[in-house]
Amino acid sequence: MNAEQLYETLKKVQEPKGYYFSDDAERVADLMNGLLLNKERYGYMVCPCRLASGIKEKDRDIICPCVYRTEDVAEFGSCYCNLYVSREWNEGKIPREYVPERRPVEKMF
């Protein structure tokens, strides 16, 4: 699978749930490639914006879409990576604020 195929597959699954890809096409392409690279490295598509342990059970919360996405998009209109966003975020109807890391520090090491 290449980045374009991954994009199309995820778009079909996520848009009906109200999650859209950012309108920053270059960023989205980079993140798609990062997901594919991590799939190759670890065997699962862990968030390319976070440091993975390589142990699936420890990384389960950051396998894309991460468990923090719902709360991030609800509060900020975007997930931590700015991959998944709300329609309002893409339309410029809400401010594009920094999304803080929700992952507990103890899970990062």
Side-chain angles (χ1 to χ4, degrees):
M1 179 175 287
N2 66 32
E4 284 182 30
Q5 292 167 321
L6 179 60
Y7 175 92
E8 291 302 325
T9 300
L10 293 176
K11 182 177 178 176
K12 288 177 191 172
V13 172
Q14 299 302 325
E15 281 192 0
K17 297 176 183 179
Y19 298 103
Y20 301 87
F21 287 125
S22 167
D23 58 5
D24 183 341
E26 187 176 332
R27 175 140 180 93
V28 171
D30 287 345
L31 291 167
M32 290 293 138
N33 285 315
L35 287 168
L36 291 170
L37 180 62
N38 284 344
K39 171 88 170 154
E40 196 175 295
R41 266 187 200 144
Y42 305 116
Y44 49 94
M45 288 193 301
V46 67
C47 175
C49 300
R50 294 179 166 109
L51 188 58
S53 70
I55 301 166
K56 190 173 185 177
E57 193 53 43
K58 287 181 77 174
D59 293 337
R60 192 164 300 284
D61 64 319
I62 57 171
I63 293 174
C64 189
C66 74
V67 300
Y68 311 104
R69 177 188 70 171
T70 301
E71 204 172 340
D72 286 348
V73 173
E75 186 173 343
F76 298 99
S78 172
C79 71
Y80 180 69
C81 294
N82 301 129
L83 175 62
Y84 288 109
V85 301
S86 66
R87 184 183 310 234
E88 295 79 16
W89 194 89
N90 265 346
E91 292 173 351
K93 293 180 179 176
I94 59 173
R96 294 186 178 190
E97 298 178 39
Y98 170 76
V99 179
E101 175 62 91
R102 290 184 193 272
R103 191 172 198 218
V105 173
E106 62 272 9
K107 288 194 170 206
M108 294 184 202
F109 303 101

